[in-house]
Amino acid sequence: MEKEKIKILVIDDDPKVSWILSEGLGDSYDILSAKDGLEGLQMVSKARPELVLLDIKMPGMEGLEVLEKIKSMNRPTEVIMLSGHGETKNVVESIKRGASEFINKPFDVKEVELHIQSVLEKNRLKQELDHLRSELKAKSQHEELIGDCLSMLQIKAVIEQVADSELTVLIRGESGTGKEIVARMLHTLSARKNGPFVKVNCAAIPRELLEAELFGYEKGAFTGAHKTKPGRFEMANKGTIFLDEIGDMPLELQSKLLQVLEQYEFMRVGGIKTIKVDTRIVCATNRDLEKALKEGTIREDLFYRLNEVTLNLPPLRERREDIPLLIEHFLQKYTRLYNKKYHPLSSSTIELLQNFDWPGNVRQLENIIKQMVVREDEKVVLDTIKRHSADSTSPRISTDSASQMDSFSLKKRVGSAVAAEEKALITQALNKTNWNRRKAAKLLEISYRSLLYKIKEYQIGQ
Ligand SMILES: Nc1ncnc2c1ncn2[C@@H]1O[C@H](COP(=O)(O)OP(=O)(O)OP(=O)(O)O)[C@@H](O)[C@H]1O
Ligand SMILES: [Mg+2]
């Protein structure tokens, strides 16, 4: 297939300019032209050229104004200014407003080509750097498993030992203890690190859809299956699949999963072809699997197969010595993220935080520190803790009244009031049951699945 040429837009009222450039550079680039600023801007947003050659002096909208408008579009479009004699002042001004280069008229096409190459190369490097930076950021956000207590050190040692093996790892622990961080570490510390990491929350996907989601389906397999779709297992080929809340996998799917665990092959829903995958399986649960085994909601053979390596993450209240370290870590993280001034917490606050029981574990601690940083106030958040400790009802979630008052739409106002009430009630139920989500669901008289869905939707405890 022929590679698509890079688009360069020439904005100049003199048609000779774009004609010369098309003749000279048309073989290597796709040269577009516009005769004035207005037409030029429209073409920038429609055709999305990588580079614009822009004349400074034009009738109608001046080059400098066009430049400013292009830059305000927030796209990675580079601009080279074309200037006639005696326009030095404008040249300086245009560089200030974000132009990458300027070329004096009349120009030599070869010279223009060199400028274009250098600007495009710089732009490519800049984008590559941005990409690397954001990747690095995403990694560092996930991978740091903070904790120096004995049990955490042991866990870190096992992670390092087994990360690069093909052993199936089961991660257990209460909500918010860091199971997902561990799953990601197992991936990034393995030879599969450049492959995909695919997460599936088995509890949050409706039962009827889970099989199709995991294994994919063939066109026509069921109503609505308009085309063949690969499942998450196929997406995770050469990488890792993280099956979160594995204890909630419906029994009828467990045997299919077992087959994948044993033979690394399966069929899509409605398919007849066996599909092979090369993927590492990591599972997590906060359920009591031994109890599930007794109750018959999890297959015994699957249970033993998953149990090859088990990592038990301790609840935060069992490793209180790590709390100051975690506080420091989150203070640094959020002061940096929100550009706030760093203030260490007072020793009395640290003591209070260290004595709290943390039903929502590290996630809850992280959330509290984040609020302290954002509000720049220790006290507000401490009051919340004290209220929790006293086991009174949880605080009502404030319903951003200012923005709501702007709207008289009955539907919107009622909708957001209901959502706020729902969020507050769910938060109360979770606090009352020490974040035992099954008990909370019972209390709220809703299904466990819809509770998980709502926790996610309202970002409760995050
Ligand atoms: N040891 C730790 N060090 C640093 N951050 C942590 C640690 N444990 C948890 N966190 C943070 O707490 C939050 C919750 O962690 P994570 O999502 O891994 O929990 P989880 O065990 O998967 O919870 P759930 O069962 O609710 O899914 C994340 O923001 C994570 O970064
Ligand atoms: Mg999780």
Side-chain angles (χ1 to χ4, degrees):
M1 205 169 72
E2 202 189 329
K3 216 175 141 224
E4 215 172 289
K5 286 187 207 156
I6 289 177
K7 284 186 195 145
I8 298 180
L9 170 66
V10 184
I11 309 179
D12 199 316
D13 57 314
D14 179 357
K16 274 205 303 301
V17 172
S18 60
W19 184 80
I20 294 171
L21 291 170
S22 297
E23 285 293 297
L25 306 173
D27 285 343
S28 326
Y29 301 102
D30 186 3
I31 307 283
L32 315 170
S33 61
K35 62 181 180 322
D36 58 37
L38 218 56
E39 189 189 2
L41 286 173
Q42 280 168 355
M43 289 184 69
V44 170
S45 57
K46 260 206 219 125
R48 300 173 175 245
E50 273 184 49
L51 182 75
V52 175
L53 294 172
L54 175 61
D55 188 20
I56 288 192
K57 235 185 155 74
M58 286 185 291
M61 200 188 289
E62 287 268 340
L64 282 181
E65 198 183 338
V66 181
L67 169 66
E68 202 156 61
K69 294 223 158 73
I70 292 177
K71 287 290 157 187
S72 69
M73 288 179 188
N74 262 334
R75 291 231 189 94
T77 320
E78 300 291 331
V79 181
I80 297 181
M81 305 302 285
L82 302 172
S83 73
H85 281 300
E87 288 172 359
T88 339
K89 207 177 109 249
N90 283 337
V91 168
V92 176
E93 191 53 38
S94 60
I95 299 289
K96 267 197 215 153
R97 295 191 194 184
S100 313
E101 289 271 4
F102 65 93
I103 297 172
N104 280 321
K105 286 203 228 174
F107 50 71
D108 172 45
V109 178
K110 276 272 160 268
E111 179 201 1
V112 176
E113 186 167 17
L114 287 179
H115 278 292
I116 290 177
Q117 281 169 352
S118 111
V119 168
L120 288 177
E121 177 63 10
K122 253 192 258 164
N123 187 20
R124 195 182 60 74
L125 286 176
K126 206 165 73 193
Q127 287 192 34
E128 210 162 278
L129 205 68
D130 278 353
H131 176 69
L132 284 176
R133 272 207 198 107
S134 65
E135 231 178 20
L136 207 66
K137 202 169 141 225
K139 277 193 181 152
S140 63
Q141 270 176 356
H142 285 300
E143 268 162 43
E144 233 171 333
L145 187 67
I146 306 292
D148 277 350
C149 67
L150 190 63
S151 54
M152 289 306 279
L153 291 180
Q154 281 167 345
I155 284 171
K156 286 183 198 178
V158 179
I159 292 174
E160 280 181 22
Q161 269 172 7
V162 301
D164 210 10
S165 73
E166 295 296 293
L167 293 169
T168 304
V169 181
L170 173 65
I171 310 164
R172 301 180 67 169
E174 289 179 13
S175 181
T177 46
K179 297 188 290 297
E180 186 161 342
I181 299 192
V182 171
R184 286 180 191 275
M185 280 174 83
L186 287 166
H187 175 71
T188 40
L189 293 174
S190 77
R192 299 174 172 274
K193 62 174 182 288
N194 294 322
F197 176 88
V198 177
K199 176 183 158 178
V200 185
N201 187 335
C202 302
I205 299 172
R207 252 159 213 272
E208 344 38 277
L209 296 185
L210 191 57
E211 183 177 11
E213 193 64 37
L214 284 173
F215 302 106
Y217 53 82
E218 296 289 342
K219 182 178 173 182
F222 45 83
T223 2
H226 297 304
K227 55 177 186 214
T228 298
K229 190 174 170 253
R232 305 279 183 104
F233 269 101
E234 279 174 76
M235 288 179 201
N237 197 26
K238 305 269 178 244
T240 306
I241 189 162
F242 173 40
L243 302 174
D244 204 0
E245 313 269 5
I246 187 80
D248 289 85
M249 176 164 288
L251 211 51
E252 58 276 15
L253 266 189
Q254 292 180 16
S255 49
K256 194 159 176 178
L257 175 65
L258 193 65
Q259 191 193 343
V260 184
L261 283 163
E262 268 162 8
Q263 289 148 13
Y264 292 93
E265 59 180 40
F266 58 87
M267 278 183 219
R268 288 186 186 141
V269 177
I272 44 165
K273 206 172 60 189
T274 304
I275 292 174
K276 274 206 163 302
V277 281
D278 166 22
T279 179
R280 164 71 172 301
I281 300 169
V282 175
C283 305
T285 184
N286 55 16
R287 284 190 65 178
D288 182 348
L289 288 185
E290 286 74 12
K291 195 165 146 232
L293 203 58
K294 268 191 217 134
E295 288 169 354
T297 54
I298 185 159
R299 285 177 65 119
E300 201 170 338
D301 42 9
L302 179 66
F303 177 77
Y304 290 113
R305 183 65 182 74
L306 290 178
N307 243 342
E308 275 181 351
V309 178
T310 299
L311 289 168
N312 282 307
L313 293 182
L316 189 52
R317 63 188 169 279
E318 284 174 19
R319 53 178 189 112
R320 292 181 193 276
E321 64 270 41
D322 280 342
I323 290 179
L325 206 65
L326 283 160
I327 295 175
E328 190 53 37
H329 171 72
F330 293 133
L331 273 179
Q332 303 253 7
K333 175 175 165 183
Y334 289 107
T335 42
R336 230 178 297 135
L337 193 67
Y338 296 118
N339 264 330
K340 300 275 184 185
K341 209 164 168 283
Y342 172 86
H343 300 287
L345 297 190
S346 65
S347 48
S348 62
T349 302
I350 295 182
E351 200 185 316
L352 196 76
L353 294 176
Q354 215 168 355
N355 288 325
F356 186 58
D357 258 352
W358 302 110
N361 293 296
V362 184
R363 178 182 289 121
Q364 193 182 10
L365 174 64
E366 176 170 6
N367 188 29
I368 293 231
I369 303 293
K370 179 162 87 181
Q371 289 185 50
M372 281 187 180
V373 173
V374 173
R375 298 199 211 171
E376 297 182 87
D377 186 0
E378 278 184 32
K379 250 192 75 228
V380 193
V381 182
L382 285 180
D383 290 344
T384 325
I385 292 243
K386 281 180 188 152
R387 256 201 310 261
H388 277 265
S389 305
D391 197 22
S392 67
T393 50
S394 91
R396 282 196 55 122
I397 309 300
S398 73
T399 51
D400 192 356
S401 51
S403 61
Q404 278 185 23
M405 291 319 256
D406 286 344
S407 165
F408 271 90
S409 152
L410 190 65
K411 209 164 144 194
K412 265 194 213 147
R413 288 279 290 277
V414 171
S416 53
V418 168
E421 186 64 26
E422 218 175 59
K423 184 172 175 182
L425 210 61
I426 291 172
T427 311
Q428 281 181 27
L430 286 167
N431 287 328
K432 207 173 168 64
T433 57
N434 265 355
W435 269 76
N436 181 325
R437 291 173 292 187
R438 275 175 200 287
K439 281 190 193 156
K442 274 211 185 96
L443 207 64
L444 293 160
E445 296 181 5
I446 59 174
S447 77
Y448 179 57
R449 263 165 214 278
S450 28
L451 175 62
L452 291 185
Y453 179 79
K454 284 183 191 301
I455 290 178
K456 205 166 159 197
E457 188 187 1
Y458 295 134
Q459 300 185 333
I460 296 172
Q462 272 170 29

PDB file of all heavy atoms in Angstrom, residues 264-277:
ATOM      1  N   TYR A 264      -4.859 -23.309  26.783  1.00  0.00           N
ATOM      2  CA  TYR A 264      -4.719 -22.023  26.096  1.00  0.00           C
ATOM      3  C   TYR A 264      -5.444 -22.017  24.764  1.00  0.00           C
ATOM      4  O   TYR A 264      -4.948 -21.519  23.762  1.00  0.00           O
ATOM      5  CB  TYR A 264      -3.229 -21.652  25.942  1.00  0.00           C
ATOM      6  CG  TYR A 264      -2.636 -21.347  27.292  1.00  0.00           C
ATOM      7  CD1 TYR A 264      -2.000 -22.325  28.037  1.00  0.00           C
ATOM      8  CD2 TYR A 264      -2.776 -20.081  27.839  1.00  0.00           C
ATOM      9  CE1 TYR A 264      -1.522 -22.053  29.304  1.00  0.00           C
ATOM     10  CE2 TYR A 264      -2.282 -19.794  29.099  1.00  0.00           C
ATOM     11  CZ  TYR A 264      -1.665 -20.789  29.830  1.00  0.00           C
ATOM     12  OH  TYR A 264      -1.200 -20.511  31.080  1.00  0.00           O
ATOM     13  N   GLU A 265      -6.612 -22.638  24.734  1.00  0.00           N
ATOM     14  CA  GLU A 265      -7.418 -22.568  23.522  1.00  0.00           C
ATOM     15  C   GLU A 265      -8.900 -22.570  23.868  1.00  0.00           C
ATOM     16  O   GLU A 265      -9.303 -23.005  24.948  1.00  0.00           O
ATOM     17  CB  GLU A 265      -7.082 -23.706  22.564  1.00  0.00           C
ATOM     18  CG  GLU A 265      -7.290 -25.076  23.146  1.00  0.00           C
ATOM     19  CD  GLU A 265      -6.934 -26.181  22.159  1.00  0.00           C
ATOM     20  OE1 GLU A 265      -5.933 -26.030  21.448  1.00  0.00           O
ATOM     21  OE2 GLU A 265      -7.666 -27.180  22.128  1.00  0.00           O
ATOM     22  N   PHE A 266      -9.703 -22.039  22.954  1.00  0.00           N
ATOM     23  CA  PHE A 266     -11.154 -21.944  23.178  1.00  0.00           C
ATOM     24  C   PHE A 266     -11.820 -21.664  21.843  1.00  0.00           C
ATOM     25  O   PHE A 266     -11.143 -21.504  20.819  1.00  0.00           O
ATOM     26  CB  PHE A 266     -11.454 -20.797  24.155  1.00  0.00           C
ATOM     27  CG  PHE A 266     -10.939 -19.481  23.671  1.00  0.00           C
ATOM     28  CD1 PHE A 266     -11.710 -18.685  22.828  1.00  0.00           C
ATOM     29  CD2 PHE A 266      -9.661 -19.041  24.026  1.00  0.00           C
ATOM     30  CE1 PHE A 266     -11.207 -17.478  22.352  1.00  0.00           C
ATOM     31  CE2 PHE A 266      -9.170 -17.843  23.545  1.00  0.00           C
ATOM     32  CZ  PHE A 266      -9.940 -17.059  22.711  1.00  0.00           C
ATOM     33  N   MET A 267     -13.157 -21.618  21.872  1.00  0.00           N
ATOM     34  CA  MET A 267     -13.879 -21.226  20.662  1.00  0.00           C
ATOM     35  C   MET A 267     -14.676 -19.969  20.949  1.00  0.00           C
ATOM     36  O   MET A 267     -15.169 -19.785  22.058  1.00  0.00           O
ATOM     37  CB  MET A 267     -14.852 -22.324  20.263  1.00  0.00           C
ATOM     38  CG  MET A 267     -14.207 -23.435  19.496  1.00  0.00           C
ATOM     39  SD  MET A 267     -15.491 -24.571  19.035  1.00  0.00           S
ATOM     40  CE  MET A 267     -14.674 -26.113  19.264  1.00  0.00           C
ATOM     41  N   ARG A 268     -14.827 -19.140  19.926  1.00  0.00           N
ATOM     42  CA  ARG A 268     -15.685 -17.960  20.095  1.00  0.00           C
ATOM     43  C   ARG A 268     -17.130 -18.429  20.247  1.00  0.00           C
ATOM     44  O   ARG A 268     -17.471 -19.525  19.809  1.00  0.00           O
ATOM     45  CB  ARG A 268     -15.615 -17.077  18.856  1.00  0.00           C
ATOM     46  CG  ARG A 268     -14.297 -16.355  18.711  1.00  0.00           C
ATOM     47  CD  ARG A 268     -14.383 -15.400  17.545  1.00  0.00           C
ATOM     48  NE  ARG A 268     -13.093 -14.794  17.272  1.00  0.00           N
ATOM     49  CZ  ARG A 268     -12.625 -14.561  16.039  1.00  0.00           C
ATOM     50  NH1 ARG A 268     -13.361 -14.893  14.986  1.00  0.00           N
ATOM     51  NH2 ARG A 268     -11.462 -14.010  15.877  1.00  0.00           N
ATOM     52  N   VAL A 269     -17.990 -17.592  20.822  1.00  0.00           N
ATOM     53  CA  VAL A 269     -19.405 -17.937  20.922  1.00  0.00           C
ATOM     54  C   VAL A 269     -19.943 -18.081  19.496  1.00  0.00           C
ATOM     55  O   VAL A 269     -19.764 -17.204  18.668  1.00  0.00           O
ATOM     56  CB  VAL A 269     -20.195 -16.838  21.677  1.00  0.00           C
ATOM     57  CG1 VAL A 269     -21.676 -17.170  21.714  1.00  0.00           C
ATOM     58  CG2 VAL A 269     -19.633 -16.668  23.083  1.00  0.00           C
ATOM     59  N   GLY A 270     -20.572 -19.233  19.236  1.00  0.00           N
ATOM     60  CA  GLY A 270     -21.115 -19.473  17.894  1.00  0.00           C
ATOM     61  C   GLY A 270     -20.059 -19.893  16.897  1.00  0.00           C
ATOM     62  O   GLY A 270     -20.332 -20.022  15.708  1.00  0.00           O
ATOM     63  N   GLY A 271     -18.832 -20.131  17.375  1.00  0.00           N
ATOM     64  CA  GLY A 271     -17.748 -20.468  16.443  1.00  0.00           C
ATOM     65  C   GLY A 271     -17.482 -21.961  16.397  1.00  0.00           C
ATOM     66  O   GLY A 271     -17.916 -22.711  17.278  1.00  0.00           O
ATOM     67  N   ILE A 272     -16.774 -22.397  15.349  1.00  0.00           N
ATOM     68  CA  ILE A 272     -16.419 -23.813  15.263  1.00  0.00           C
ATOM     69  C   ILE A 272     -14.901 -23.995  15.208  1.00  0.00           C
ATOM     70  O   ILE A 272     -14.389 -25.078  15.295  1.00  0.00           O
ATOM     71  CB  ILE A 272     -17.065 -24.489  14.017  1.00  0.00           C
ATOM     72  CG1 ILE A 272     -16.902 -23.570  12.799  1.00  0.00           C
ATOM     73  CG2 ILE A 272     -18.519 -24.807  14.259  1.00  0.00           C
ATOM     74  CD1 ILE A 272     -17.163 -24.270  11.500  1.00  0.00           C
ATOM     75  N   LYS A 273     -14.208 -22.851  15.079  1.00  0.00           N
ATOM     76  CA  LYS A 273     -12.757 -22.894  14.959  1.00  0.00           C
ATOM     77  C   LYS A 273     -12.129 -22.779  16.356  1.00  0.00           C
ATOM     78  O   LYS A 273     -12.575 -21.975  17.174  1.00  0.00           O
ATOM     79  CB  LYS A 273     -12.345 -21.673  14.120  1.00  0.00           C
ATOM     80  CG  LYS A 273     -11.061 -21.843  13.379  1.00  0.00           C
ATOM     81  CD  LYS A 273     -10.829 -20.685  12.426  1.00  0.00           C
ATOM     82  CE  LYS A 273     -10.767 -19.380  13.159  1.00  0.00           C
ATOM     83  NZ  LYS A 273     -10.752 -18.176  12.424  1.00  0.00           N
ATOM     84  N   THR A 274     -11.123 -23.587  16.629  1.00  0.00           N
ATOM     85  CA  THR A 274     -10.425 -23.463  17.916  1.00  0.00           C
ATOM     86  C   THR A 274      -9.403 -22.335  17.805  1.00  0.00           C
ATOM     87  O   THR A 274      -8.658 -22.255  16.834  1.00  0.00           O
ATOM     88  CB  THR A 274      -9.688 -24.767  18.258  1.00  0.00           C
ATOM     89  OG1 THR A 274     -10.653 -25.814  18.240  1.00  0.00           O
ATOM     90  CG2 THR A 274      -9.048 -24.685  19.612  1.00  0.00           C
ATOM     91  N   ILE A 275      -9.422 -21.455  18.789  1.00  0.00           N
ATOM     92  CA  ILE A 275      -8.484 -20.329  18.758  1.00  0.00           C
ATOM     93  C   ILE A 275      -7.443 -20.519  19.845  1.00  0.00           C
ATOM     94  O   ILE A 275      -7.773 -20.835  20.988  1.00  0.00           O
ATOM     95  CB  ILE A 275      -9.256 -19.011  18.955  1.00  0.00           C
ATOM     96  CG1 ILE A 275     -10.121 -18.783  17.730  1.00  0.00           C
ATOM     97  CG2 ILE A 275      -8.307 -17.840  19.164  1.00  0.00           C
ATOM     98  CD1 ILE A 275     -11.030 -17.624  17.827  1.00  0.00           C
ATOM     99  N   LYS A 276      -6.193 -20.336  19.461  1.00  0.00           N
ATOM    100  CA  LYS A 276      -5.112 -20.505  20.448  1.00  0.00           C
ATOM    101  C   LYS A 276      -4.644 -19.126  20.898  1.00  0.00           C
ATOM    102  O   LYS A 276      -4.543 -18.211  20.074  1.00  0.00           O
ATOM    103  CB  LYS A 276      -3.931 -21.225  19.792  1.00  0.00           C
ATOM    104  CG  LYS A 276      -4.074 -22.729  19.829  1.00  0.00           C
ATOM    105  CD  LYS A 276      -2.694 -23.386  19.779  1.00  0.00           C
ATOM    106  CE  LYS A 276      -2.705 -24.842  20.218  1.00  0.00           C
ATOM    107  NZ  LYS A 276      -3.193 -25.118  21.536  1.00  0.00           N
ATOM    108  N   VAL A 277      -4.391 -18.973  22.163  1.00  0.00           N
ATOM    109  CA  VAL A 277      -3.833 -17.696  22.609  1.00  0.00           C
ATOM    110  C   VAL A 277      -2.619 -17.937  23.480  1.00  0.00           C
ATOM    111  O   VAL A 277      -2.508 -18.959  24.145  1.00  0.00           O
ATOM    112  CB  VAL A 277      -4.822 -16.847  23.448  1.00  0.00           C
ATOM    113  CG1 VAL A 277      -5.810 -16.138  22.578  1.00  0.00           C
ATOM    114  CG2 VAL A 277      -5.471 -17.651  24.537  1.00  0.00           C
TER     115      VAL A 277
END
